[in-house]
Amino acid sequence: MTTTSPVADALTVVGSRKRAGRWTGWAFVCPFMIVFLLVFVAPVLYAFYLSLFQNQMVGGVKFVGGANYLQALADPQFWDSVIRVVVFLAVQVPIMLFLALFAALALDSGRLRAASFFRISVFLPYAVPAVVATLMWGFIYGPRFGLFGSINDFFGMDLPEPLSTNWVLAAIGNINTWEFTGYNMLIFYSALKVIPAELYEAANLDGAGTFRVISSIKLPSIRGAIGIASIFSVIGSFQLFNEPNILKALAPNSISSYFTPNMYAFNLSFAGQQFNYAAAISIIMGVLTVVVAYIVQISGSRKDA
């Protein structure tokens, strides 16, 4: 007859609980992982698979390896669209984030009258679907039937046409700023509300003014939120599609089929039947977006360190 010590029994129970704990964790993560694999990983892998082939007039579908990627890297229309989006990102995103930060600081100051109305007013455009917002602004921009055209006719002025070639990118940037300033404002405002009150009390005792409190307490405390908003804005800029694609009907001479990389891939795939080349462009843009977003994240982390 063999006996086991109480210590050995206790270790056995602890080991069993640890093993059960590991599987319990996977059980909680499993639903997310299934959805993640189906809606994110599987489409990316399928797009990568498509990008390795070409549908030829003679011979049908043929494996070409990286030929589609080499063609994209030498495609001037593709790089025109990338440069246009980079310019859009470099100008529109800082303006939008600055306006959102300014609105959040104004709300957090407690000195703003009708703060609830102001908060709802700034956030409300985000609740408007992008298609509806673009159509509304397209009507305002219209040179013959819109607000700009009416002002020119009524006052005999010669305001620049927002849908002209030189101004259409700025017009799209204005729509995006109008749509997403309120969303980013809420991110910044939420981060401001969790700053400990003791910091404000200490600053008050030291005689710090409003601008000193903003520069030394508020902005450093919400640096993480600013980084998150910047990453979201970078990703959104590289995905620019709805606004130019809808405005193209109003300004066909200003917005080409390759105005943005997403528009280029969409038109190659559904208008040009070049699915494989469109898949290669999508993969390149996905990698480029990840790299730029990672650089933004690393830059924010170094400032935090």
Side-chain angles (χ1 to χ4, degrees), residues 8-281:
D9 292 340
L11 292 175
T12 302
V13 171
V14 170
S16 300
R17 288 179 176 176
K18 285 185 176 179
R19 287 192 291 273
R22 295 194 195 104
W23 289 110
T24 303
W26 278 107
F28 280 107
V29 174
C30 190
F32 165 77
M33 291 301 297
I34 292 174
V35 176
F36 179 76
L37 291 173
L38 288 177
V39 304
F40 181 78
V41 177
V44 171
L45 293 177
Y46 184 62
F48 180 71
Y49 169 77
L50 287 178
S51 69
L52 301 178
F53 293 86
Q54 276 184 359
N55 191 3
Q56 300 177 335
M57 295 288 292
V58 178
V61 179
K62 179 182 177 183
F63 179 79
V64 295
N68 286 323
Y69 293 95
L70 295 177
Q71 181 183 349
L73 294 177
D75 187 345
Q77 293 183 339
F78 171 65
W79 286 112
D80 282 348
S81 64
V82 172
I83 292 172
R84 192 174 292 111
V85 168
V86 170
V87 171
F88 178 86
L89 166 66
V91 176
Q92 187 268 336
V93 169
I95 293 175
M96 177 183 65
L97 294 182
F98 174 78
L99 292 176
L101 183 60
F102 183 80
L105 290 171
L107 282 173
D108 189 64
S109 69
R111 300 176 183 178
L112 194 66
R113 294 184 179 179
S116 299
F117 176 77
F118 177 79
R119 184 170 61 241
I120 292 295
S121 300
V122 177
F123 180 74
L124 191 60
Y126 181 69
V128 178
V131 175
V132 176
T134 306
L135 290 174
M136 182 187 72
W137 278 100
F139 180 77
I140 294 174
Y141 290 152
R144 293 188 302 274
F145 52 83
L147 180 62
F148 274 76
S150 300
I151 292 175
N152 281 338
D153 293 339
F154 186 79
F155 292 103
M157 302 172 64
D158 191 20
L159 294 176
E161 294 183 10
L163 296 180
S164 62
T165 303
N166 294 331
W167 290 96
V168 69
L169 192 61
I172 295 172
N174 176 58
I175 297 174
N176 267 32
T177 303
W178 182 79
E179 285 182 287
F180 295 104
T181 295
Y183 171 78
N184 291 297
M185 178 198 71
L186 281 190
I187 294 177
F188 298 150
Y189 184 58
S190 302
L192 287 170
K193 298 305 291 182
V194 299
I195 296 176
E198 292 80 5
L199 293 178
Y200 295 131
E201 295 173 0
N204 189 31
L205 290 175
D206 290 341
T210 301
F211 291 103
R212 179 67 173 171
V213 170
I214 291 175
S215 62
S216 300
I217 296 178
K218 293 187 177 183
L219 293 182
S221 299
I222 66 170
R223 187 171 292 157
I226 295 174
I228 291 294
S230 301
I231 292 173
F232 287 165
S233 300
V234 167
I235 295 173
S237 296
F238 278 114
Q239 293 177 339
L240 189 62
F241 178 78
N242 283 334
E243 292 82 1
N245 197 48
I246 294 172
L247 290 178
K248 189 176 186 303
L250 302 175
N253 295 326
S254 302
I255 300 177
S256 61
S257 60
Y258 56 91
F259 192 77
T260 68
N262 273 7
M263 281 186 66
Y264 191 33
F266 177 83
N267 288 306
L268 282 173
S269 180
F270 295 102
Q273 302 297 313
Q274 300 183 53
F275 305 106
N276 306 105
Y277 186 40
I281 287 179

